[in-house]
Amino acid sequence: MSTTHDSDVIIVGAGPVGLMLANILGMYGHSVTLLEALDELIDYPRGVGLDDESFRTIQTVGLVETVRPHTNPQHIMRLVNGAGKVILVNNPQTLEFGWERKHGFIQPEVDRALFDGLARYENVRVLFGHRVEDVVEDADSVTAVALVTGADGQITEERFRARYLVGCEGGKSPTRKRLGVSFEGESPSTRWLVVDVNNDPLGTPNVFLGADPKRPYVSIGLPHAVRRWEFMLHDDETEEQVTDPVFVNKLLAEHVPDPANLEFIRRRVFTHHGRVASSFRKGRQIVAGDAAHLMPVWMGQGWNSGMRDATNLGWKLAAVLSGQAGDALLDTYTDERKEHSKAMVDLSLTFGRFIKVTNPLAAAARDAASSVLNLFPQVKSYFADMRFKPMPRYTRGVLADPSTQVSGSAAASITRRIIPVRTANTTVSPVGVQFPQPRVNTPAAENVLLDDAIGNWWSVVVWGNDPTDVLPQASLDKLSALGARLVSIVPETQREWAQQHMTDGVLVLGDHTGQVKKWFDDRPTPMIFLRPDRFVAGACLNQHGPATLDAILRAMSFTGRSATAPAAPALVH
């Protein structure tokens, strides 16, 4: 007879997305059962690029110190032609979100750090060797039926019940198939051979994309002296042929003096896919990561897009589970994540087509055009600073329009015809994008990252003012029920005065670098409503605060029920 086990959320798949989502829900105090069909975590490299947005999420769940040793920050990418000439450099210098924009990383080690982090939570358990064969959903819950093979070879059935189930089982996701949603996009016929080796025979730390018309390739220096190569395969080359050591050594002969003396980790053929599910949620079942979208490897965004999913979904599930928000909040997960996922897929496919040109005349034309464009500093910096990568901008979801205070959507520009807007340095709206993460001084510590100071739930950030002076009591009561932290950021010169004169309970932060002042100087929005995922839900003049707050609460289906806000993390970094 099977036994039923209860928890708040079932996560299917102990890959990086499932592990991160379990960490977020565990941090917020919710019970999680993570079911994995394999007997252990995958121990070979897959993803190799980790970006600043993902590192910010790693910071939120308190795992920077265990992840950082398995990364190499400031991963520079050089696109070279068939002659080895550099035609494009990607080397962004920004620390906008508190971390270097690009890192190389060893995925098995980082995934292990996410897994080990779950030991902090008594309410989270991971069960390996549990293959989910069926899911039954009713009005109040969802039940996963898992088959478990015992040490004696006997197969037993176990049932797990929860309020929601999230499928993070990869591109062939049974959860997505059960939802009956389409998986739109393309799977180019081009195949690639990936080769990973230990004891990097080159030792150079960065990335080379070889746009060689004879055979495009990738060469990537990774942490822990790991080197990865990827080679495009021709149509007449079989998988058996290209994984033969003699063939692989011939491919590597142009890259290393002695291919036969390498310590190989793996040799595998793969095909790029670019697909996005038509919906990420149906009823009580949700998909995330590769189950929701498949990314070609060119922009290194597969792992990172999954982290964005977990970051977006995690706080929303927490709000619904705590009773703060209605079930409709979960519909905004598709609203907010689908379009950006599609944009990243499209960019990756386009970049891939640029690299894998095999016609010599077309390749020569590409190289010539790149040389000319590199003569223009603005064009050159556009690629160097990675400004071609579309940053997430949510236009529908948990948002309030900065001009009209309309709930649930936000235009990209502020159009209100009032002098503070007309005289602003920019009228590009900050609503729907990530708020930067500068370093600030706090009453307890100096030079800390903003997120470590304000905690991991909602915040209202006001420049120069006491939030309790510019918001009416009715709004303050709603913010209290939401569990939002009231934050005032002032020039460092004023911090001591502000700490003495502002209301108890308001967190006063000192802007000792001037970065926060510069941000508010440029924008006519001195009041920011900051979501737990660090996206701006609302930005406005102080007198528009009450209407903006009400619009945000409607967009998140806020119930008015109070819930205990998660504790702020220790002030580190």
Side-chain angles (χ1 to χ4, degrees):
M1 178 180 293
S2 63
T3 303
T4 300
H5 309 272
D6 288 349
S7 57
D8 291 331
V9 176
I10 297 166
I11 298 173
V12 184
V17 181
L19 293 169
M20 177 56 81
L21 183 59
N23 271 280
I24 293 172
L25 291 171
M27 174 183 70
Y28 288 139
H30 297 291
S31 60
V32 176
T33 301
L34 178 51
L35 303 176
E36 169 56 52
L38 299 177
D39 292 328
E40 58 185 1
L41 296 177
I42 295 176
D43 63 355
Y44 55 80
R46 286 99 71 214
V48 293
L50 191 162
D51 67 18
D52 50 351
E53 297 173 65
S54 294
F55 228 108
R56 196 172 187 180
T57 299
I58 291 166
Q59 174 193 351
T60 296
V61 297
L63 294 177
V64 165
E65 301 306 324
T66 55
V67 167
R68 194 80 161 160
H70 309 299
T71 69
N72 53 358
Q74 211 62 45
H75 216 205
I76 301 171
M77 183 274 287
R78 296 180 178 90
L79 179 65
V80 299
N81 64 13
K85 180 183 177 182
V86 176
I87 57 178
L88 184 154
V89 176
N90 176 221
N91 182 22
Q93 300 294 309
T94 180
L95 291 174
E96 179 183 7
F97 298 137
W99 304 98
E100 296 85 356
R101 180 134 289 175
K102 296 178 63 180
H103 306 71
F105 79 120
I106 300 296
Q107 183 176 343
E109 298 293 346
V110 172
D111 288 358
R112 172 65 60 177
L114 298 180
F115 172 73
D116 291 344
L118 296 176
R120 299 172 294 174
Y121 307 115
E122 294 181 356
N123 53 333
V124 177
R125 59 177 175 164
V126 182
L127 299 176
F128 290 99
H130 283 62
R131 181 178 300 279
V132 175
E133 293 292 321
D134 193 18
V135 173
V136 180
E137 183 176 338
D138 59 33
D140 301 315
S141 67
V142 60
T143 300
V145 181
L147 299 184
V148 185
T149 302
D152 58 359
Q154 294 296 312
I155 298 177
T156 59
E157 178 185 289
E158 291 192 47
R159 302 172 72 86
F160 300 86
R161 183 172 57 213
R163 290 179 60 185
Y164 295 97
L165 180 147
V166 185
C168 306
E169 328 99 304
K172 296 180 180 179
S173 168
T175 302
R176 186 189 65 246
K177 293 174 182 176
R178 280 193 299 271
L179 297 186
V181 298
S182 60
F183 204 32
E184 300 156 357
E186 60 181 275
S187 296
S189 59
T190 309
R191 297 166 303 136
W192 292 76
L193 173 69
V194 59
V195 180
D196 293 320
V197 303
N198 280 320
N199 305 320
D200 184 354
L202 303 184
T204 55
N206 298 310
V207 182
F208 294 88
L209 301 184
D212 186 342
K214 295 193 300 294
R215 188 186 297 272
Y217 67 88
V218 182
S219 177
I220 308 173
L222 295 170
H224 307 336
V226 173
R227 168 70 52 175
R228 167 171 292 185
W229 284 278
E230 297 174 10
F231 298 97
M232 195 178 87
L233 301 177
H234 301 308
D235 291 342
D236 61 345
E237 294 171 335
T238 67
E239 182 167 349
E240 182 180 15
Q241 174 188 359
V242 302
T243 54
D244 181 85
V246 174
F247 184 92
V248 174
N249 290 349
K250 184 178 179 181
L251 288 179
L252 292 172
E254 292 189 47
H255 295 263
V256 297
D258 185 9
N261 199 32
L262 297 176
E263 182 184 331
F264 290 92
I265 300 172
R266 68 166 182 161
R267 297 176 284 252
R268 186 177 71 88
V269 174
F270 69 96
T271 301
H272 295 172
H273 300 276
R275 296 183 178 276
V276 181
S278 57
S279 177
F280 295 0
R281 184 234 177 164
K282 190 173 181 181
R284 295 188 173 274
Q285 299 182 62
I286 305 166
V287 289
D290 285 355
H293 41 71
L294 285 173
M295 299 276 167
V297 301
W298 297 112
M299 299 303 300
Q301 287 299 303
W303 198 90
N304 297 294
S305 292
M307 291 300 106
R308 294 189 192 101
D309 291 347
T311 308
N312 186 290
L313 179 60
W315 77 265
K316 294 176 179 178
L317 278 169
V320 173
L321 292 168
S322 69
Q324 277 200 325
D327 177 85
L329 173 60
L330 299 179
D331 289 331
T332 67
Y333 168 55
T334 298
D335 292 339
E336 294 181 350
R337 287 295 306 130
K338 180 183 174 183
E339 289 307 312
H340 183 257
S341 299
K342 186 177 184 304
M344 290 307 308
V345 166
D346 291 345
L347 177 64
S348 296
L349 287 170
T350 300
F351 200 60
R353 295 186 190 103
F354 182 80
I355 292 169
K356 63 183 186 182
V357 173
T358 55
N359 181 291
L361 293 178
R366 175 201 61 200
D367 297 348
S370 299
S371 297
V372 171
L373 290 174
N374 270 318
L375 298 175
F376 297 90
Q378 285 186 324
V379 176
K380 191 172 183 178
S381 68
Y382 177 77
F383 290 102
D385 295 336
M386 210 171 174
R387 285 184 281 123
F388 56 86
K389 171 190 169 187
M391 298 299 293
R393 171 179 283 280
Y394 302 149
T395 58
R396 294 186 301 135
V398 185
L399 310 167
D401 187 87
S403 301
T404 64
Q405 285 76 58
V406 167
S407 176
S409 64
S413 298
I414 304 173
T415 58
R416 184 178 289 273
R417 302 303 296 168
I418 190 171
I419 287 177
V421 175
R422 288 157 52 195
T423 58
N425 191 41
T426 178
T427 55
V428 175
S429 170
V431 176
V433 299
Q434 270 197 72
F435 195 68
Q437 186 183 199
R439 289 185 174 270
V440 294
N441 289 341
T442 81
E446 294 186 349
N447 199 42
V448 302
L449 288 167
L450 177 67
D451 295 356
D452 289 337
I454 65 177
N456 52 25
W457 198 239
W458 283 85
S459 298
V460 180
V461 179
V462 179
W463 173 258
N465 266 304
D466 183 333
T468 66
D469 288 341
V470 293
L471 286 170
Q473 189 59 49
S475 295
L476 295 173
D477 291 343
K478 294 170 186 174
L479 289 168
S480 177
L482 182 62
R485 192 159 202 178
L486 304 181
V487 181
S488 174
I489 304 184
V490 299
E492 178 60 21
T493 54
Q494 297 179 35
R495 181 164 63 89
E496 184 176 345
W497 177 90
Q499 287 171 187
Q500 294 174 355
H501 289 82
M502 289 191 182
T503 304
D504 289 344
V506 172
L507 175 65
V508 177
L509 302 178
D511 173 30
H512 65 294
T513 68
Q515 292 181 23
V516 184
K517 179 179 181 293
K518 174 67 168 62
W519 193 93
F520 281 105
D521 266 338
D522 288 343
R523 296 164 178 81
T525 52
M527 180 177 290
I528 301 296
F529 294 87
L530 197 58
R531 302 177 355 172
D533 58 3
R534 315 308 183 188
F535 278 75
V536 177
C540 60
L541 296 168
N542 291 337
Q543 289 187 339
H544 290 143
T548 299
L549 172 61
D550 288 346
I552 293 167
L553 296 179
R554 289 194 300 274
M556 69 172 288
S557 304
F558 184 61
T559 64
R561 174 179 168 182
S562 296
T564 303
L571 295 175
V572 292
H573 317 311

